[in-house]
Amino acid sequence: MNTKDHILRWVAFCAIAMFVGLVGRSLWLGLELRQGLERLSTAATDNIQWTLAQAEVDYLKYYSAVLEAETSGDLAHVRQQFDIYYSRIRTYAESGLYARLQDGENGVFLAHLNEGLDAQVQLIDASDDILLNSLPQLTALILKNRHEVREIALEGVELQAAIANRQRVQLHHLFAHLSAVLVILVVSLSATILVLIYLYRRGQSLTEQTVQDAARVQTMISASLDAIILADEFGKIWTFNIAAEEMFGYTQADALGIELSQLVFDSEAPPRDAVAWLFAQERLANQEDGRLRSTGHRLNGEAFPVEISLSASRSIDKGETTVWVAYVRDISHLLQSEEELRRARDDAMAGERAKDQLLTVMSHEMRTPLNGIIGSLDLLAKRPQTQENQIYLSAMRVSGDLLLKHVNDVLQLSRLKANAEPEEVQVFDLCQLVQDLVTSQHANALANGNEISFYCQIGTGIFVQGQRHSIQKVLLNLIGNALKFTNDGAISVDVLRQTGGVEITIADTGKGIAEDDLERIFDDFVTLDGSYGRIQEGTGLGLAIVKGLVTDMGGTVHCDSILGEGSTFTVTLSLQFVAATKADEPAQTKSFLQTVDNVEQQHRILVVEDNEINRLLLSQMLRDLGCEVVDASGGAQGLELLKQRTFDLVLTDISMPDVDGIALLRQARDLGVTQDTNIVAVTAHAAKAELNRIKAAGFADVVTKPVQQEALRAILSQFAHKNASRSSKKTALPITVDNDDALDRFFTTLGADKAQEFITGLCHEMSEFCLMLANASEMTLSMRQEAHRLAGSAAVLEFSELYEELLKIETAPENEFPDVTTLVAAWEKIHSRLQAFAL
Ligand code: ADP
């Protein structure tokens, strides 16, 4: 009930109370009126008035009797009239009715009359003779009281007038009061009637509304697709809608009185205690977001899955008892759809996995023949060729490398998608890494008329702890893109130290990216220029890989760009900073040079590979490195050879049809092949987990396909050192590989133009460095850094003597200026050879 109704109820209550009060009051007033009228109707006042007025009449009668007796002598009549007069006056003096006469002036009159009477009594009571003779005296006595008698009679008239007046006033008041009460009564009665009419109408509309609501609820219950079941506090059903009838197979009449717990239960048999079941269900439902999954049981015994929502409420119809309301939904179809959806999702995921797997397998499988192609190209390029053939070979090598890059990109992406194990963290010189990358892209930059600059603000002697190769890959992609999409512009790479990490920005002044495209460039296979005639090639995987790698490292990457003005890619990485130690020095260059100084050593090597091209290629590369090579076309043949001969090194493929690489290793060790024979796995399965599995099998090392000659050199060097230290024979090998093979390879790999630019740059920088050293008196840090940078370039071109000399400069003792003459001599030797290549 609302507040307005409440107030009206109070008003009605007050009006009724007032009405009752007023009715009471009017009744009381009516009674009073009646009494007043009755009082008026009584003769009491008339009597008094009449009696008082009668005094004068009696007096006059008495007086006339006395006068008459003087002539007639009728004394008896005199005495009779005296008695009447006497008793009248005595009554006034003694009766309480005439109290008004007994006080004041009237009292004096009455006293005079009594005195007169006393005097007259003596004459009246005397004998007739005396009385007769005394009549004149009596007459005189009577006349003496004439004035008093008149006053008493007047008093009667006055009395009557006063009483009449008083009664009139009283009656007037009574009438006025009564009419006021009646007016109020009528008003309050009217108000009460109005309020009652209003309440009646309101009650009527409420009743209509309630009836309508009830009808609506009833319609909703009937029309509901869910079964709606109402049960009393004992769980017995008292409402069962049509949907419930259809769902459970009971008619409403049959269902009434059955316990709800007989229709919906999860156990073997219906629960015994229906009330306990209801409370337990309600508790469970509250924990489960109001809905529960359970099992419905039809009349024919069939069970089906249901979702039930159960709550307790107060019944209006049934007073204050608890009513259980249950909404039951048959979820057979839902579960079926869920199942179908799950199956579809599983199928889709399986399809996705199969696609990824196909991509991965295809990529692996493509890497193996690619290995053969690229390796063969390397070997062919080393043989004397006509200039035209060299051009074709160079083009094939470039295309092969590009294809290999694409294959590697796909593999990398599928590995990222498969959440492959992340790369191990290592300590490295981030500035150096970025610098090397920038240096390696110098020639690329020049080719498009771009300038590339580098700035690192991490601090000298500070290394970082992070995933070196992933960072390298990210930066290579971003710098590569910057170079690819910029012509005659500038690219800057900045490494800035931040709290807890670094921010690396790669900014270019290239073609830029439209704002709408900024979001999607990081998606797989997105290239903004999708036309067939597009200028820049690309698979659209680079940025997807960047995003994947950066995200895996817990970092972020984003791009700001203005179309036509350039782009800035910002990579933020959390990295730990550590002070550099000697052990942290980049191992790559060193090991590369170690390979250089061990090449001359003769090794007996067994190559086990089922793929013929790869076998030939591997063998040839090793022979080129001066090794004695025996090959086997499978694991079984390899084992046979191991039984017959001793090898320094065995290079075995992992996936082979008869005896695979891992089985070969185990069986070889079982045959007694000692650790002196290093068994190295060669595999195209470059996934980290796979590499770990192979390493765990006990291989001395793992080389991934396509195998490059440099990798073979590194392996040979590694085991030559190992064997040398094992035999305590330290072989000091001369550095003699300053030949043009490396230069040829460099040209083939980079392409003539880029290689030429690089070499021109190197000539220029080396000449400047030599000049600077000649003019300097002490070693500065920047000189050491420049020596380090140039040593890197010398290493790439396999100028080992120059490399050694630069290394000496870099590592020269603090207070000793190194002898630069040997460096200058080494440089001059190479410089004269490079003249042919430099621009
Ligand atoms: P790809 O370079 O192989 O096409 P990416 O994933 O590396 O694939 O790049 C996706 C697209 O983003 C490129 O095709 C190019 O349109 C755009 N893009 C990337 N980097 C740059 C950049 N520095 N300047 C302009 N456009 C860029």
Side-chain angles (χ1 to χ4, degrees), residues 609-650:
E609 166 69 84
D610 61 326
N611 180 297
E612 196 182 349
I613 301 176
N614 279 341
R615 193 169 64 244
L616 284 176
L617 196 66
L618 259 181
S619 306
Q620 190 55 48
M621 282 179 177
L622 288 164
R623 284 192 193 103
D624 283 356
L625 288 170
C627 303
E628 183 192 329
V629 183
V630 175
D631 59 27
S633 59
Q637 193 190 355
L639 283 168
E640 278 307 311
L641 287 166
L642 277 170
K643 277 185 211 161
Q644 296 158 17
R645 295 179 61 178
T646 310
F647 294 94
D648 298 314
L649 185 67
V650 178

Side-chain angles (χ1 to χ4, degrees), residues 230-417:
L230 271 60
D232 64 15
E233 60 189 316
F234 305 108
K236 295 219 187 307
I237 295 171
W238 59 273
T239 295
F240 201 70
N241 73 345
I242 299 169
E245 287 184 332
E246 283 166 8
M247 194 179 290
F248 290 96
Y250 289 84
T251 62
Q252 160 134 10
D254 292 342
L256 298 187
I258 296 180
E259 282 166 1
L260 174 59
S261 55
Q262 305 286 310
L263 302 185
V264 181
F265 59 87
D266 248 348
S267 44
E268 291 276 301
R272 287 195 186 165
D273 189 341
V275 177
W277 176 85
L278 283 168
F279 280 105
Q281 293 296 302
E282 192 193 25
R283 206 173 41 247
L284 278 175
N286 285 342
Q287 289 164 6
E288 298 280 330
D289 196 21
R291 273 178 278 176
L292 273 183
R293 289 202 169 175
S294 186
T295 311
H297 298 270
R298 296 192 220 280
L299 181 60
N300 61 10
E302 188 191 334
F304 61 102
V306 294
E307 195 171 71
I308 175 168
S309 149
L310 186 74
S311 55
S313 72
R314 296 273 163 199
S315 160
I316 303 161
D317 299 355
K318 296 206 152 198
E320 282 299 292
T321 54
T322 303
V323 171
W324 292 96
V325 186
Y327 296 85
V328 188
R329 182 175 296 176
D330 182 346
I331 54 168
S332 316
H333 292 297
L334 182 77
L335 290 189
Q336 203 176 329
S337 319
E338 274 180 10
E339 182 53 35
E340 276 163 17
L341 216 63
R342 202 173 302 121
R343 220 174 297 135
R345 189 202 57 197
D346 289 350
D347 288 352
M349 281 170 70
E352 188 71 14
R353 268 199 303 276
K355 188 199 81 189
D356 286 349
Q357 221 168 348
L358 178 76
L359 271 178
T360 313
V361 171
M362 283 303 291
S363 307
H364 276 140
E365 294 312 312
M366 281 163 78
R367 273 160 62 115
T368 309
L370 256 180
N371 178 26
I373 295 168
I374 293 172
S376 304
L377 286 176
D378 274 355
L379 292 174
L380 266 180
K382 273 194 259 168
R383 307 250 180 294
Q385 302 286 348
T386 63
Q387 204 179 351
E388 197 184 1
N389 280 354
Q390 274 297 355
I391 292 170
Y392 292 142
L393 281 174
S394 161
M396 284 161 78
R397 176 64 205 245
V398 171
S399 304
D401 283 347
L402 195 63
L403 190 56
L404 187 62
K405 182 186 173 301
H406 293 337
V407 169
N408 282 339
D409 278 354
V410 173
L411 259 178
Q412 172 109 43
L413 197 69
S414 54
R415 244 181 264 143
L416 282 169
K417 293 257 161 85

Side-chain angles (χ1 to χ4, degrees), residues 53 82 148 250 254 271 296 307 456 468 546 608 622 658 670 721 746 753 817 835:
F82 175 80
E148 281 82 3
Y250 289 84
D254 292 342
E307 195 171 71
C456 182
R468 187 178 199 279
V546 165
V608 187
L622 288 164
D658 56 350
D670 290 347
H721 276 299
F746 182 67
D753 287 351
F817 196 77
Q835 293 297 318

